[in-house]
Amino acid sequence: MAAAVAVKLRGELLPLAGLLPTLQPVRYGSKAVTRHWRVMHFERQKLMAVTEYIPPKPAINPRCLPPPPQPPKEDSGFIRLLRKEIAAVFQNNRMVAVCQNVAMSAEDKILLRHQLRKYNIFMKIFPNQVLKPFLEGSKYKNLLPLFVGHNMLLVSQEPKAKEMVRILKTVPFLPLLGGFIDDTILSRQGFVNYSKLPSLPQLQGELVGGLTLLVAQTHSLLHHQPAQLTALMDQYLRQRQEEEPSTPASGKPDPPDPAVES
């Protein structure tokens, strides 16, 4: 049975005699490759070595030269917006305090923000990549050493240092680094000393009281000499009247009595 299957397959696969194709591919041997690399002639090697181009060595090693200037990188719209906001914060607020932005829970941060907002003190957070270039070109460049890590700004249009220091004492893990009040740079101890000063209305009252006292003293000194002179003149006139009772006020003596002369 296997032999019958093999014969059948051979009859199907192999062409029958007298039915061969008109074209039959014939495989020929490949041609010899003659373009192999050959050793260059010794004379040509010498000629190539002599005529080889040797570029001149630069006077300065290229590795010692500064890198070529790169085209300025354009800032995005968000960076420009942050710069405008930073400029407005430093220009429109009289008090700016710098605190270290430590890890705080959302509830503590909201509570602190609410307590500061009662006294019109607002929290601002800006990236140092935008804040430092602004400080370098402004009059507040002495504040640069404070901006090392993550920082937080407490700003107010009025110098509310007393209220700010009192609130920050309740948050000991939020250290105060420094800042400025009315363009005067202060350290942490400077803010503490400033908070101990009396309020402006109290200072104005003390100033008005001192000026009123000085005016009163000046008024008394100016009226003391004329009053003393007037009292002395009155005393002098009384004494003259007591010494010369017969002399009238006009200064002429009375005429003699004729009855006494007769």
Side-chain angles (χ1 to χ4, degrees), residues 70-82:
Q70 298 180 356
K73 185 179 179 181
E74 296 183 359
D75 297 330
S76 62
F78 180 66
I79 298 298
R80 292 194 296 268
L81 179 63
L82 286 179

Side-chain angles (χ1 to χ4, degrees), residues 38-158:
R38 294 185 300 177
V39 180
M40 190 181 299
H41 194 269
F42 180 69
E43 294 295 337
R44 188 174 180 180
Q45 289 182 10
K46 292 194 295 182
L47 180 62
M48 295 294 293
V50 170
T51 58
E52 184 181 1
Y53 173 74
I54 301 177
K57 293 183 179 180
I60 302 176
N61 193 339
R63 293 180 295 179
C64 300
L65 296 175
Q70 298 180 356
K73 185 179 179 181
E74 296 183 359
D75 297 330
S76 62
F78 180 66
I79 298 298
R80 292 194 296 268
L81 179 63
L82 286 179
R83 287 180 178 175
K84 290 181 181 179
E85 188 174 354
I86 291 173
V89 165
F90 279 82
Q91 184 178 1
N92 301 332
N93 295 282
R94 297 175 56 188
M95 184 189 76
V96 175
V98 184
C99 299
Q100 186 176 358
N101 190 10
V102 297
M104 299 174 58
S105 62
E107 296 179 358
D108 294 340
K109 188 169 291 187
I110 292 174
L111 179 60
L112 178 62
R113 190 187 298 269
H114 178 68
Q115 291 177 352
L116 293 172
R117 196 182 291 264
K118 288 182 180 178
Y119 304 99
N120 293 328
I121 303 175
F122 302 95
M123 295 172 56
K124 302 288 184 180
I125 299 177
F126 300 103
N128 291 342
Q129 293 81 1
V130 184
L131 189 57
K132 284 185 177 181
F134 170 79
L135 294 176
E136 290 175 356
S138 66
K139 58 184 177 181
Y140 307 109
K141 59 182 178 181
N142 291 332
L143 294 175
L144 281 173
L146 302 180
F147 295 91
V148 178
H150 298 282
N151 300 102
M152 176 193 305
L153 300 182
L154 304 180
V155 300
S156 175
Q157 295 183 356
E158 297 295 332

